[in-house]
Amino acid sequence: MVFNWNDPKRSAGSANDSDVPLEDRYPLLIDAVQDYAIFMLDPTGRVASWNSGARKIKGYVADEIIGRHFSIFYMPEDVAADKPGRELVLATAQGRAEDQGWRVRRDGSRFWADVTITAVHDTSGALLGFAKVTRDMTERMRLAELEHASELSAHMQVAREDEQRRIARELHDDLGQQLIALKMGIIALSQRLAANGTDPSGSAAAIALQGQIDSMIASLRRIAANLRPPMLDDLGLAAALEWLVDDFTQRFHMSVKFHTDIDDATVAPFAASALYRIVQEALTNVARHAQASEVLIEASSDADTCTIHIEDNGRGTIVADAGKRGSFGLLGMRERVRQLHGTLKIDSAPDKGFRIAVQIPINAIRPDESPPV
Ligand SMILES: Nc1ncnc2c1ncn2[C@@H]1O[C@H](COP(=O)(O)OP(=O)(O)OP(=O)(O)O)[C@@H](O)[C@H]1O
Ligand SMILES: [Mg+2]
């Protein structure tokens, strides 16, 4: 059913509304609906009427679609599997058929449709055709997918932290202890060799082996601490940040000014991990990209907000280019901050350094908050 909107007698909301008979108002109402494609199919599945919602969702105007078979709206693989035909059979047998799936617009693009097909009979029970109502759910589905992806990412982050903590503990408690036992064995061996005085070169080799084991123990401690700094669990965020800064200063010979007044008792473990990882990634970026001589880190909190500033005086970058494909550091920081309901701002320009400002509502990091899973 297609209405001429220029016909003043048929225009919904015209001054002559009261002149339009009640039975004519339903088609007007259906045609006015924008959010649903509402149309009729004849018993063979050919389009028999079209409303403005159908035009908006599917892209066809009435003249070009009326008389065409409704399988034109289906994906080629669904047509090949005779899905349209099966839906009509189901609607005829059960009165209605419902489906959610991809459909095709006039321009070939896909949309996620929620479809109901209802069989329409006359008073004698003969099949007149089908009423088809289609809703475009693409945005809603994308939103649900995004929410799901973000929940998944929060869950993965917590799982990753747990796994890193477990590996760090195993490295320290198992491999670390074995290395220490090995070192003791070699010390005993070198003492025996020295006491015998029969093999001075063997004794020197045993001493060299001790040196190698010492450096293996140091590497192992560093790797374990990078996976999960023990102070994060034992001494809290401030001490862990202090350790991170010291380690960075020693390794990269860069001057780092660090100040924090964060009270560890006010930070939940998952929030402490997130804040620690943000500073860690920012420092890694300074080492990799900045060519800076100075870094400033300030972590503070007041009654409402926890704030972290990380700033360097290096070569900076064009901010719009900083989130390019294949780089995940800044993306990961943003995700962690988003999970804590905070904001992250980046300010940089070529030769003007790089500044990251993170603000998180204090309520989101309190120990009584549960992890964002
Ligand atoms: N402190 C900095 N100074 C200058 N440029 C920076 C700084 N931090 C980040 N950038 C720029 O932003 C880009 C994105 O950083 P991001 O941490 O997301 O990725 P990445 O470090 O390149 O790779 P990864 O995924 O391993 O972290 C970097 O490639 C770099 O060009
Ligand atoms: Mg990075």
Side-chain angles (χ1 to χ4, degrees):
M1 220 165 291
V2 187
F3 294 103
N4 176 4
W5 289 98
N6 296 325
D7 178 352
K9 278 218 300 288
R10 309 218 74 149
S11 292
S14 79
N16 299 329
D17 255 5
S18 53
D19 301 342
V20 181
L22 195 59
E23 64 272 22
D24 277 6
R25 291 194 194 177
Y26 292 112
L28 277 173
L29 175 75
I30 285 171
D31 193 44
V33 170
Q34 294 276 325
D35 294 335
Y36 292 82
I38 304 174
F39 54 99
M40 289 292 296
L41 302 176
D42 71 14
T44 66
R46 294 188 184 280
V47 177
S49 76
W50 202 238
N51 78 334
S52 24
R55 188 174 63 223
K56 192 173 145 204
I57 292 173
K58 294 175 188 275
Y60 297 92
V61 295
D63 284 349
E64 59 187 347
I65 197 64
I66 286 183
R68 305 278 299 270
H69 195 267
F70 84 118
S71 55
I72 196 170
F73 307 134
Y74 286 71
M75 303 285 285
E77 57 271 27
D78 289 340
V79 177
D82 193 28
K83 188 169 175 180
R86 281 188 283 116
E87 287 188 347
L88 291 193
V89 170
L90 193 70
T92 310
Q94 299 187 350
R96 59 192 268 135
E98 288 175 11
D99 183 40
Q100 285 212 345
W102 291 111
R103 297 292 186 271
V104 187
R105 295 192 187 94
R106 183 179 184 273
D107 63 6
S109 59
R110 296 185 318 169
F111 68 101
W112 185 259
D114 181 280
V115 180
T116 308
I117 302 177
T118 311
V120 180
H121 300 93
D122 68 11
T123 44
S124 70
L127 182 67
L128 287 177
F130 303 90
K132 193 161 186 278
V133 180
T134 302
R135 192 167 184 201
D136 183 350
M137 303 292 280
T138 316
E139 281 311 310
R140 196 177 285 197
M141 193 188 67
R142 293 227 170 99
L143 217 63
E145 275 177 358
L146 271 178
E147 273 168 19
H148 181 68
S150 138
E151 265 174 36
L152 195 68
S153 133
H155 182 77
M156 303 264 291
Q157 240 156 42
V158 172
R160 212 178 95 194
E161 294 285 344
D162 286 351
E163 186 61 4
Q164 290 191 184
R165 186 182 297 144
R166 194 186 65 75
I167 297 171
R169 204 180 303 125
E170 291 281 309
L171 279 177
H172 180 269
D173 294 354
D174 188 336
L175 209 56
Q177 301 304 334
Q178 288 192 45
L179 280 175
I180 288 168
L182 184 65
K183 187 181 164 188
M184 308 302 257
I186 288 177
I187 290 173
L189 188 67
S190 66
Q191 282 168 349
R192 273 218 301 282
L193 287 172
N196 283 345
T198 48
D199 185 2
S201 64
S203 167
I207 289 168
L209 279 178
Q210 284 174 45
Q212 280 181 27
I213 292 174
D214 279 342
S215 90
M216 281 170 81
I217 292 172
S219 296
L220 184 134
R221 289 215 167 116
R222 189 172 45 77
I223 294 167
N226 268 327
L227 280 169
R228 178 75 192 177
M231 352 18 193
L232 204 48
D233 297 317
D234 301 342
L235 301 176
L237 178 64
L241 288 177
E242 200 91 53
W243 174 85
L244 184 65
V245 168
D246 280 353
D247 183 60
F248 179 85
T249 315
Q250 276 172 30
R251 273 204 275 162
F252 300 104
H253 310 292
M254 221 178 276
S255 143
V256 183
K257 289 197 181 100
F258 171 58
H259 175 254
T260 182
D261 64 9
I262 291 183
D263 175 2
D264 291 319
T266 63
V267 187
F270 72 88
S273 290
L275 298 177
Y276 178 86
R277 296 294 179 203
I278 289 168
V279 177
Q280 187 181 39
E281 173 59 25
L283 280 178
T284 306
N285 277 350
V286 171
R288 282 176 70 188
H289 310 295
Q291 295 171 1
S293 58
E294 270 191 16
V295 189
L296 196 80
I297 302 175
E298 175 107 34
S300 57
S301 63
D302 59 26
D304 303 315
T305 315
C306 169
T307 309
I308 298 185
H309 286 282
I310 307 138
E311 184 174 338
D312 68 62
N313 66 350
R315 63 182 185 147
T317 190
I318 299 167
V319 177
D321 295 346
K324 57 188 182 291
R325 264 173 189 275
S327 51
F328 296 101
L330 296 176
L331 210 68
M333 279 189 211
R334 283 193 193 284
E335 182 57 20
R336 287 183 194 275
V337 170
R338 198 193 58 76
Q339 281 161 10
L340 294 171
H341 312 292
T343 58
L344 182 148
K345 289 198 183 111
I346 292 174
D347 173 25
S348 183
D351 293 325
K352 297 272 188 265
F354 199 94
R355 281 163 298 281
I356 298 176
V358 173
Q359 288 206 314
I360 293 167
I362 210 82
N363 287 342
I365 66 168
R366 287 224 166 97
D368 44 344
E369 281 292 307
S370 52
V373 252

